[in-house]
Amino acid sequence: MTYFFQLVVSGIVVGSIYALSALGFVLIYKSSRVLNIAHGQIIAGGAFIVYALTVFLGLPIYISFVASMVITFFLAMSVERIFLRRLIGEPIISVIMVTIGLMSILNGVIYLTPFGSMNYSFPEFLPTTPISLGGVSISWTQLMGVVITAILIGAFSWFFKRSTIGISMRAVSDDQFAAMSVGISVPRVFGLAWAMAGLSAAAAGAIIGNITGLNFETLGAFGITVFPVVILGGLDSIIGAVVAGVIMGLIQQFAAGYLDGNWGLNGTADVLPYIILLVILLFKPHGLFGTHEIERV
Amino acid sequence: MSANRFLATGNFFTDYRQEQRIFRTHLDRGMFVVFLACLFAWPLFFEASNRTMLVINNILIAVVAVYGLNLVTGFAGLISIGHAAFVGVGAYTVAGLARAIGATHPLIVHWWPLMILAAGGMGAVFGAFVGLPAMRLKHLYLAIATLSFQMIFTWTIKFMPTFNQGQMIPVGRVSWIGGTVGRNNHYFFWYYMILVVAVICGLAVRNLLRSRYGRCLVAVRDNDRAADAMGMHPGLTKVYAFTLAGFFAGVAGALHTYMFRGAGFESFTLHHSITYLAMAIVGGLGTLPGSLLGPAAIYTLELQMEHLSEWSGTFLPDSFNLATALRPLGFGLVIVLFLMFEPRGMANWWRICRSYVKLWPFRY
C-alpha cells in the first residue's frame, strides 16, 4: 500500500510538471490556434539559461530563476515577432509547419552550446533529506516544484479571468474579427501569448531541471509529451491542462510501477500516453474540458 | 483540334478531356521521355562509385516516400509529422518477416516484388488507422495523431524482441534472372529497381490527380464545407489520402530495407519525419516536380553540411559539436525560410523558368 501511495505522490509531482508545460502550450493555442511544436525546446532553453546564470555568472539561483523567466518572455516574443507575425492570415497549416521548423532550428542552436550533449545538474540549494510521511517520501525539490506550479497556474487563471489584457486575449481566441472591431490589437495579443508561454516554459524547465537534472533529450521530450496531456484536457482549457496533467502523471507512474517488468513489457510509461491520445482522438476528440467547435456555413 | 499540340503558349482547352491529359503538349511528352531515357542510360556511360550510387538511391527512395507525404500534406492539406514511421512500417514488414522466417527464405529473396507490394499494403493499413480521426476532426488534430503514431512506432521497435529491439535486422541478397545480385552490382541493380518503382509511382500520382478522387482531395483541402455540399465525403477523402500516403511510404520502406540489406530503428525517427516534411516543403507542396526536386535538394544540402563540418573539424575544438548541430539547424532554417519567402517551393522556380523559356523573347 505504501508503494501505491508513493506512486500517487510521484504521479502528482510529474503531473504538475506536465500541467505547467501544457500551460504554455494552451496559452498559444487559445489565442492564436497555433500548435506550438517547438515548446519543448523553449522549456529546455529556459532551464539552460537558469543554469548558465547561476553557474557561469554566479547569480543566486532564485534571481536567475526569475531572470530566466524574463529572458524567455522576451525571447518567445521575438520569435513570434520574427517568424510568425508575417504569417498572420496565411493558412494555419503553414504556421504549424513553421513551428516544426522552429523546433529544428532551436535544436540546432542548443546543440551548438555545451548543453546539447552533456548532463548537468543545478547546485543544491534545498535540504537533501526527503520529507517522509508514513513511509511515503517526497523530496524538497519535488515539493517546491508542485508549489511553484500551483502558484503559477493560479496566477495565470486569475490573469485570464480578471485582468484587462487577459480578457482581451480571451476575446481574441473567441472571435478575432469581433475582437478587432472593439479595438483589441490582435498581433499584440499573439505576441503576448507567446511571451507568456515562454515565461511559463522557463518555469517548467527550471523545475524539471531541478528534479531530473539537465539533459537536453529529457527536457526537449516534454514538448512532445505535452500533446497527450493537452488532448486529454481539451486543447484550449487551462483547468483541463491541470487535470489532464495530473491524470497523465498518475497513469505514467502506475504503468512504470506495475506494468514494467511483467509480461515482458518495458518502458510502458513512454508509450501509454500516446496510445491514450489516439484512443481519445477517436472517441472524445475535444477532451475533457475543451470547447466543441461548431461550424456554420 | 484547333490548338497547337506541339508548343502551346497558353490554355486553349475546349473540353475537359483536353484539360485532364497527363501531358498537355507533345513537347512535354517528349521532354519526359528524354528525361527518363537519361535517367536510365547514364549509369551505363559514367562509372559511378558505390558512394555516389548510394546517395542517388537514397534520393530516389525519398522521392517515393515524398509522393505519399505530398498527397497528404500538399494535396489534402493535412500535416503528417509521422511519415518516417509509415516508411518504417514498410521497412519492418520485410525485416520482421525476414527475422521470423530467415533472412534468405525464398519469400524474401525470390518474391521480393511481392514483398514490396505487401509492405505497401501494410503501410496503407496503418495509414488508414492513423487517419481515422479525420472522420471527425480537422487537420490540427491529425498532426497530433501522426506525431503520436511516430512515438508509438519508435517505442514498439525499440522494446519489442520481435524487432530485435531496434538493432539492425539483416535481410538476404535478392535473386534476379541471372542469379543472386552480388556485392559489386548491388547499388547498380537497386538503382534501376528503385527508378522503375519511382517512375510507376509518379505516373500513378499524376493519374490519380486527374481522376475523381484526386480532384476530391484538392477540393477538400481548399474548402471542406463546400466539398461536403458538392456531395463529397471530406472525412473519407482524408482517410483515403492517409491510406495512399501509407502505401507509398510502405513501398519506400521496403526498398530501403532491401537496399541497405536490413533495417534499424534509427532510420525512422521523428527527425526523419521532419526531414521528409522539409523535402516536401522545399520541393513545393502540392506539386509533382516538387516531389523530385525536394529530396534532391535536401540530400545535396546534407552532403554540403557534412563537408562543412568535416572542414570545420580541422580547426575547431572537439568539444564544439558542429556536425550534430548543423543538420537540425540547416533543415529548420530551410523549412522556415521557404515557408516565409517561397511557400510554393522550388517547383515554383521550375515553373517560372519554363514559362520564361516558353514565352521568350516576350516578357509575358
Side-chain angles (χ1 to χ4, degrees), chain A residues 25 29 33-35 37 82-83 86-87 90 92-94 96-98 100-109 111-112 117-118 224 227-228 230-231 235 264-268 270-271 274-275 277-278 281-286 291 293 295-297, chain B residues 73 77-79 81 129-130 132-133 136-149 151-153 155-156 159-161 224-225 270-271 274 277 281 285 319-322 324-329 331-333 335-337 339-341 343:
Chain A
F25 190 88
Y29 182 79
R33 305 275 138 185
V34 170
L35 294 181
I37 300 190
I82 297 167
F83 294 108
R86 62 172 73 228
L87 288 171
E90 296 273 324
I92 209 84
I93 162 171
S94 46
I96 296 171
M97 285 191 291
V98 166
I100 297 175
L102 270 178
M103 162 173 124
S104 215
I105 292 177
L106 290 176
N107 266 338
V109 170
Y111 278 130
L112 280 178
S117 44
M118 307 242 234
I224 302 203
F227 281 103
V230 292
I231 289 290
L235 267 171
L265 287 169
N266 239 328
T268 38
D270 295 334
V271 76
Y274 300 102
I275 295 173
L277 192 167
L278 276 186
L281 278 186
L282 282 175
F283 295 108
K284 193 165 171 42
H286 296 287
T291 43
E293 279 172 49
E295 288 197 332
R296 295 193 179 84
V297 182
Chain B
T73 305
L78 311 159
I79 308 172
I81 325 179
F129 178 72
V130 175
L132 269 186
R136 296 176 62 176
L137 293 163
K138 291 258 186 136
H139 44 252
L140 277 179
Y141 289 89
L142 285 166
I144 301 175
T146 51
L147 182 68
S148 64
F149 177 65
M151 303 315 280
I152 295 172
F153 173 80
W155 182 85
T156 312
F159 285 101
M160 290 288 169
D224 54 350
R225 277 168 286 184
L270 179 62
H271 176 80
I274 292 173
L277 204 56
I281 291 169
L285 287 171
S319 60
F320 197 69
N321 205 345
L322 196 64
T324 42
L326 265 183
R327 268 176 65 106
L329 198 61
F331 288 165
L333 273 180
I335 292 180
V336 170
L337 292 179
L339 280 171
M340 280 163 68
F341 298 109

Side-chain angles (χ1 to χ4, degrees), chain A residues 49-63:
Chain A
I49 292 173
V50 176
Y51 183 86
L53 290 179
T54 325
V55 176
F56 299 158
L57 293 185
L59 292 176
I61 193 152
Y62 295 103
I63 293 180

Side-chain angles (χ1 to χ4, degrees), chain A residues 118-139:
Chain A
M118 307 242 234
N119 292 322
Y120 296 88
S121 54
F122 286 127
E124 297 289 348
F125 61 100
L126 288 169
T128 43
T129 42
I131 312 161
S132 193
L133 265 178
V136 180
S137 68
I138 177 169
S139 73

Side-chain angles (χ1 to χ4, degrees), chain B residues 82-100:
Chain B
H83 203 65
F86 293 115
V87 177
V89 167
Y92 271 95
T93 308
V94 178
L97 196 67
R99 189 169 155 81

